[in-house]
Every structure is written in structure tokens, then in C-alpha cells.
Amino acid sequence: MMTTKTNRTNMSKTSGSDDNAVLSGMFRSKMDQIRNWRPASTPSNRDCLELYALHRQAVSGNCDVITDGSELPGEKSKIAAWKSKIGLSRGDAMSRYISECDRQIRVYGTYSPPPPPSSPPSRRTPPSTPAPSDSTSSPLTPRGIAAVPLISAAASESQLHYMDRMAVTIHTNGWWSRQEPLCLGPEDNSILLLPERAVIIIASAVERMVLTLPKNSIVPANVVQAAIWPLHNLLLALWSAYVLIFHLFRTTFDVGRTVALGSRRTGISISRSVGHGLVPAAEMARTLTAPRHSLSVRAVGVTMIPLVFVGDGASWMLQEGGSVITGILLVMTVVTTWWYWTVVLPSVALMGFWAAIFCGGCFALIEFAGI
């Protein structure tokens, strides 16, 4: 009997060491992959710091660096990110590092150089094709639209991962507290930024309340986190929806001014405005209904279907009818559907808010009961 127990103990130790060896091998392989990875778009500072913090936690354990205030801002950010992982075991840090690497590769893509042209381009335009214009050039995606996949990925965070992250995050390094408006520059004070700033301020206040909850609180921290998780995801979904609607309205306003005053006075090209603002917003809205997204993001994708139709119609009209006709029809379409953008969508958002409160209460009861 004693021999049997000893054999079982040795087998469990061997199995545990084998698992650790496999995880360490996967971790090293992922490090090499990230080292040689060339992203198609530049990762955000937040994502770079997240990878750095998980890597340091997996390699060195808890942060023991003592700061004296003389560090550069970049070093302070790295140390703060590393300290946010205090308490996370090295094995868990390796697992989360691997998952985070896979997520960033999926979100940012991998750069592939364009193939060399098979023949030198002709200096003359063939008579069967339209002359080159701004609409045929490769548009640069606005910063806000480019960030929608990141917001959607954040909204797909599971309840378990959200609660684990909140448990090891200090209140001075909350995720929402490090966000800034995306539609315009952070230094702009336009009234158009008020809804976006309101979402960030509300979410930051809720996050700070959860992170500063005293340990001897009547309501346990895990119960509060479970109640807040649906609201957190809803605010992320609303943020991505506002970014898309903002670019629809901004494109419509710029196009309307150009139709009324002319491109020489406004300095705005209709085809360029549509191609750089409305079309990327419509293409991004089309991707939000993909099964990989959370329910709240897919709901936003469904409400953005009219935006997809408007973007597709404007893109088609640019090729068939010209810039002026496209501008007139775009302005007429958005003006006649004002009720959808200003009444229906806010009403849906309000219903989503109450649904998040109800679901949060249910999750809190489940967590409190220990189910």
C-alpha cells in the first residue's frame, strides 16, 4: 500500500513537471514568434505594455523595482504595468502572455509586402476605365475607426478574465483611466466629443469604485465585479458605436459644405471625404456581426446595418454618378433618416443599459451564492 501511494505521488509530480515543461516551451516559442512578428498596423501603447508586463511577470515574478521619481515616463509606464500583475503566478502569466500574443496578432494582422508590378503602369488612362481620383487612392483609416477592433476585443473579455484582471489591478492603473477620445485629438474641446468623454468618464468612475473597494466591505469585491462586468462590456460597445456614427455625421457635414460652397472654398474633396471617412466606417460596421465578437458588439453591428447600406451606396454612386450627385444623395439620406440616428439608436442604448443592470444583478446573485 505504501509503495502504491509513493508511485502515485511520483507520477503526479512527473505529470506536473511535464505540464510546466510544455508550457515553458510554448512560452519560448511565442516569444520568438513575437520577436519576428511585423504587424500590419502599429499596436497601441496599452497592448505593448500588457505584453511587457506579462513577459516580466512570467520571467521574473512579482515586481520588486523601487522607484525614486527620476525615471523617464516610458520606464514609469513599464514599471506600473508590471506592478499591475503582482500576485499572478508565473504559469498563469505565461498562459496569459500566449493568449495575448495570439489576440494581438489576430487584431493587428501581419504585414506582407505588396507583390511587384508585373508590368510598368501606363501613362495614359484606358478609355474604358474612369480617370484616377481621390476615391481610387488607398485611404488611410481614421484613428477612431482603426481602434474599433481593439474596443471590440476588449468587450469580448469573459467574466472570469475580467474578475481576474480586476483582482490584480491597482486603482491608479485602471484600464479606463488610461483611455482618451478617439474621434478627435485629446486636446480638442469640440462639443462632438461630449458623448465619447461621457462614456470614458462614467466607465472610469465605475472602475475606480470597484478597485478602491475596501477589503472589509459588506459586499465582497467579487460580487461587485460580477455585477459591473455587463456594464463594462456595454460601455465598450457603445463607444465603438459612437465612433462609427461620428464619422458618418462628420462625412455628411463635410460633404454638405462642399456641395453648397464648392471644394475650392472648403478645401475638401467629396470623393476623398467619403473614401476616408464613411467607407472605412461602413466596412468596420460590417465586421461587428462576426461570431467571434461578444453579444453586445454583435448587437451594435446589427444596429449599424443602415450605416453599411449608406456606405455601400455612396461608394457605388461615386463610381457611377460622380461626386456631386453622391454628395447630394448622401446628405438627403442622412437628413431623412435623422430619427434613426438620434431617436432609435439612443433608445436602444438605453434599453441595453437596463439590460446590463439586470444581468449584472443576476451575475452578482450567482457569485454571492457561490454557484
Side-chain angles (χ1 to χ4, degrees):
M1 181 65 67
M2 291 295 294
T3 304
T4 303
K5 290 183 178 180
T6 304
N7 292 337
R8 289 179 179 176
T9 302
N10 293 335
M11 290 176 62
S12 62
K13 290 182 179 179
T14 303
S15 176
S17 61
D18 291 342
D19 292 341
N20 292 335
V22 172
L23 181 60
S24 299
M26 294 174 61
F27 176 70
R28 288 192 297 269
S29 176
K30 192 62 65 175
M31 285 173 53
D32 294 336
Q33 181 182 2
I34 287 296
R35 190 179 296 112
N36 299 321
W37 174 48
R38 295 181 62 190
S41 57
T42 305
S44 65
N45 291 335
R46 181 185 68 86
D47 284 341
C48 292
L49 289 173
E50 181 70 10
L51 275 185
Y52 171 83
L54 290 173
H55 177 268
R56 291 301 302 269
Q57 187 71 15
V59 173
S60 306
N62 291 335
C63 178
D64 56 357
V65 177
I66 300 176
T67 59
D68 57 4
S70 61
E71 296 81 8
L72 296 175
E75 291 298 324
K76 290 182 180 179
S77 299
K78 290 182 179 180
I79 294 173
W82 186 11
K83 286 186 176 181
S84 68
K85 307 302 178 187
I86 290 178
L88 189 66
S89 67
R90 294 190 177 184
D92 290 340
M94 289 183 185
S95 299
R96 290 178 59 174
Y97 177 86
I98 295 171
S99 300
E100 180 65 18
C101 289
D102 293 336
R103 185 192 71 82
Q104 293 194 25
I105 292 174
R106 183 176 65 253
V107 169
Y108 294 106
T110 303
Y111 172 78
S112 56
S118 56
S119 60
S122 174
R123 293 179 179 270
R124 300 182 59 185
T125 304
S128 60
T129 58
S133 64
D134 291 336
S135 61
T136 59
S137 61
S138 179
L140 296 175
T141 303
R143 185 172 73 112
I145 298 177
V148 168
L150 304 180
I151 301 175
S152 302
S156 300
E157 185 179 32
S158 67
Q159 179 186 355
L160 180 60
H161 287 168
Y162 172 78
M163 294 175 64
D164 289 343
R165 177 171 62 83
M166 295 294 285
V168 297
T169 301
I170 56 178
H171 69 278
T172 57
N173 194 39
W175 187 87
W176 278 105
S177 63
R178 291 180 277 120
Q179 305 310 307
E180 61 183 24
L182 298 172
C183 294
L184 296 174
E187 70 280 355
D188 291 320
N189 294 318
S190 173
I191 191 174
L192 297 176
L193 285 180
L194 289 180
E196 191 175 13
R197 289 187 186 276
V199 170
I200 296 176
I201 291 173
I202 293 173
S204 299
V206 173
E207 183 182 55
R208 191 178 304 109
M209 180 268 294
V210 175
L211 294 176
T212 56
L213 199 67
K215 294 183 179 180
N216 57 352
S217 175
I218 299 177
V219 182
N222 62 321
V223 175
V224 178
Q225 293 166 3
I228 295 301
W229 173 67
L231 181 61
H232 166 77
N233 286 352
L234 174 69
L235 291 173
L236 286 168
L238 294 180
W239 192 8
S240 62
Y242 179 76
V243 169
L244 299 177
I245 296 173
F246 171 85
H247 284 89
L248 169 66
F249 284 173
R250 184 174 186 177
T251 300
T252 304
F253 178 75
D254 290 343
V255 168
R257 280 201 308 149
T258 304
V259 170
L261 303 176
S263 59
R264 291 186 178 180
R265 290 188 178 182
T266 61
I268 299 173
S269 168
I270 293 178
S271 58
R272 185 178 182 85
S273 182
V274 172
H276 286 200
L278 178 58
V279 172
E283 290 297 328
M284 188 60 64
R286 196 194 309 274
T287 65
L288 296 183
T289 55
R292 67 177 182 274
H293 292 306
S294 64
L295 180 61
S296 58
V297 174
R298 280 183 281 173
V300 169
V302 172
T303 60
M304 292 294 110
I305 289 178
L307 172 60
V308 176
F309 288 155
V310 172
D312 290 346
S315 180
W316 178 82
M317 186 56 64
L318 273 177
Q319 300 177 2
E320 301 295 332
S323 298
V324 177
I325 296 179
T326 300
I328 294 174
L329 291 179
L330 174 61
V331 173
M332 291 178 59
T333 300
V334 175
V335 169
T336 54
T337 57
W338 64 270
W339 50 272
Y340 181 79
W341 313 107
T342 60
V343 178
V344 175
L345 289 185
S347 301
V348 172
L350 184 61
M351 289 189 292
F353 173 78
W354 289 115
I357 296 297
F358 175 77
C359 292
C362 295
F363 290 136
L365 289 176
I366 294 174
E367 192 69 24
F368 185 78
I371 300 177

